[in-house]
Amino acid sequence: MTAPGLGQGQAQGHGDVPSVSTPGQSPYAIYVEHLREGRLAYQYSRTAGKAVFFPRVLCPYTGEDCLDWRVSSGLGTVYSTSVVYPRKGDPYNVALIDCDEGFRLMSRVEGLPAADVAIGLRVRFQVHAPDAEDDDPYPVFTPAVFTPTE
């Protein structure tokens, strides 16, 4: 079921998913447009009942055209991490992040030394803005800081 005002392949998931697509726009283009607007979007297979990431045209579980767009809360947990030591420049980490909605993506954790990124660390999504005008934004994560409730 498609919500009013949303294009084919888009529906409401966790909260409203603003329409950012135009007819014939690729799933990757829709994903990047969400990033440009500060959201981490993913697809959800209505038929399989599972989150899907990286954006696709057809469901990888069923082969059907049954994918809706949803927006992640932006919270996740480091599943795996490695430190890369380039010949020039500072070390950086490459991490697999399990997002709370049930999908995993490769990214990096910023805001602490690369060697301090640990499996199980709770993280929060943010958009890394492109360095050049023609580059796409991409998701990175920072350590999630929770304030205790009183």
Side-chain angles (χ1 to χ4, degrees):
M1 175 164 118
T2 303
L6 298 176
Q8 182 180 355
Q10 290 187 304
Q12 293 178 332
H14 296 354
D16 292 341
V17 177
S19 179
V20 294
S21 67
T22 57
Q25 193 173 24
S26 75
Y28 179 75
I30 295 167
Y31 166 72
V32 168
E33 193 58 35
H34 277 284
L35 286 175
R36 289 187 202 288
E37 295 179 10
R39 296 183 298 268
L40 177 58
Y42 66 99
Q43 293 169 301
Y44 184 82
S45 170
R46 296 183 308 274
T47 305
K50 295 181 180 182
V52 174
F53 190 85
F54 202 78
R56 300 158 193 254
V57 174
L58 299 175
C59 174
Y61 305 110
T62 66
E64 298 176 23
D65 180 14
C66 60
L67 299 174
D68 295 327
W69 284 98
R70 295 187 177 182
V71 174
S72 171
S73 67
L75 294 173
T77 304
V78 174
Y79 173 80
S80 176
T81 184
S82 295
V83 179
V84 177
Y85 295 91
R87 290 180 81 178
K88 295 181 181 177
D90 295 329
Y92 62 92
N93 71 79
V94 176
L96 294 178
I97 308 295
D98 282 344
C99 290
D100 289 355
E101 293 78 14
F103 65 94
R104 181 178 291 161
L105 71 145
M106 184 181 294
S107 185
R108 70 173 183 251
V109 178
E110 298 180 334
L112 54 124
D116 290 350
V117 176
I119 293 170
L121 177 69
R122 290 291 289 166
V123 291
R124 180 179 308 278
F125 157 79
Q126 69 179 36
V127 175
H128 180 85
D131 295 331
E133 188 175 307
D134 59 347
D135 288 342
D136 291 334
Y138 56 90
V140 295
F141 291 82
T142 57
V145 178
F146 295 100
T147 306
T149 57
E150 296 181 36

